[in-house]
Amino acid sequence: MVVVRELMATPFKVNLKMHYPMLLSILDNLVLLAMIFLIPFVSDPVLYFVIAYAISNLPGFILSFYFLNKKFGYKYEVTFEKSGWLLKESFTLFGFVVLTSVFMQIDIVILSAFKDNVDVGIYSAGTRLTMPLSIIPGAIVTTVFPILVKRLSDKESTEFITNLVIKLLYFISFVMAAVFTFESTSLVNIIFGSEFIKTAQSASILYWCQIFLFFGFYSLSVLLANNKQHYNFIYSGVQVAINLVFCFLLIPKYSFVGAAIAKLIASFISFLFILFALNKFGFRPSIGRYRVLVWSLILSGILWACSILPVIPYLIFASIAVVFVTLFTKLFSDQEILTLFKLINKEEFGKKLLSKFSFIA
């Protein structure tokens, strides 16, 4: 059901109507929540939960067919006419998904082989702080991908929208990494408790990985839209190979910190590969390197200075600093800001906001 549901969400993505799949997902979760309340009254809670989880997916699964038919006139029939072509085209993407899953988990497997459960637990806590962050580029790419495909099919330039998305992903990933790093110990203590203080260092490194992984997330979509998905497979292969090499080199000596460094190196080298792949067919991202560099340095300096504060005041000042430094350096142009509001169907609000703060004439 999960695999088919993901496929059935594609027409909603293309037509920017993702609120339907999201509402159906919420419905499934509500059904699951209601069934979970019965766990104390059953003899085998684990078996009951598995069955409840499967049943909770049924309402959304069935309603997905209904809304696809109602909104887009889609009807389904079994056909094997293009199965060979489909398998051929999707083979590299299948390999990409498998290798990406290996990349996300192999460091923990190797760490558990060399070190004890304490080190594995400390590192796993750090990964739990960063792995959910993939939702962010996923949401952004889901929003922009249909626009990207349409412009490519219409032979229109995708340079502006692509550069804007890359800059936005860099902005989000850098802010999260910098804010966390300068108060990592206090934040880990709040989230996990004093027993996991050692998680702070490895988690900080994993946060900086996100800058390269966020970039790769959208760039891989660009390659896919250009029917260059074999580069996605090679990209994931590079990630896994480099990660394996450095995990075996660093984990025996540096434990969970070595695992985090190995992932950072693998993320950076795969980032260089994706730049090379994009450059091969003439795509050269341009996000205002000097302006981005100035923004990054100023923000880092302010966050470092604010790190002497207790964690709650630090987070408050950090939020204010991000806004003011971004506005002061004009990291995003007026056109880029308006485009961002347009993507969430709030263009008029964006114009009013920019006019109020005198960013546009």
Side-chain angles (χ1 to χ4, degrees), residues 167-216:
K167 185 188 290 187
L168 179 62
L169 291 174
Y170 174 81
F171 170 83
I172 295 171
S173 57
F174 185 90
V175 167
M176 291 190 301
V179 170
F180 179 86
T181 298
F182 290 114
E183 274 289 1
S184 57
T185 301
S186 299
L187 290 170
V188 167
N189 187 43
I190 291 173
I191 299 170
F192 293 122
S194 58
E195 298 88 350
F196 288 89
I197 288 296
K198 291 182 180 179
T199 300
Q201 189 175 1
S202 59
S204 296
I205 297 171
L206 292 173
Y207 263 99
W208 289 105
C209 290
Q210 303 309 307
I211 294 178
F212 307 113
L213 296 177
F214 274 33
F215 175 84

Side-chain angles (χ1 to χ4, degrees), residues 6-50:
E6 181 63 28
L7 178 63
M8 285 163 40
T10 303
F12 294 105
K13 293 178 182 179
V14 172
N15 291 277
L16 301 179
K17 295 185 180 295
M18 278 301 292
H19 52 283
Y20 285 101
M22 290 174 65
L23 288 172
L24 294 178
S25 179
I26 293 172
L27 173 63
D28 292 345
N29 287 318
L30 289 175
V31 173
L32 179 61
L33 179 63
M35 298 183 73
I36 283 175
F37 284 120
L38 299 176
I39 284 181
F41 307 102
V42 298
S43 58
D44 191 339
V46 175
L47 177 61
Y48 172 79
F49 178 79
V50 173

Side-chain angles (χ1 to χ4, degrees), residues 318-337:
S319 302
I320 297 171
V322 169
V323 174
F324 276 94
V325 174
T326 303
L327 296 178
F328 174 76
T329 58
K330 294 187 176 180
L331 181 66
F332 295 98
S333 67
D334 297 337
Q335 186 180 3
E336 288 173 333
I337 294 173

Side-chain angles (χ1 to χ4, degrees), residues 6 39 56 128-129 145 212 221 238 280:
E6 181 63 28
I39 284 181
S56 68
R128 287 180 181 276
L129 290 173
F145 189 72
F212 307 113
S221 297
V238 170
K280 282 197 70 174

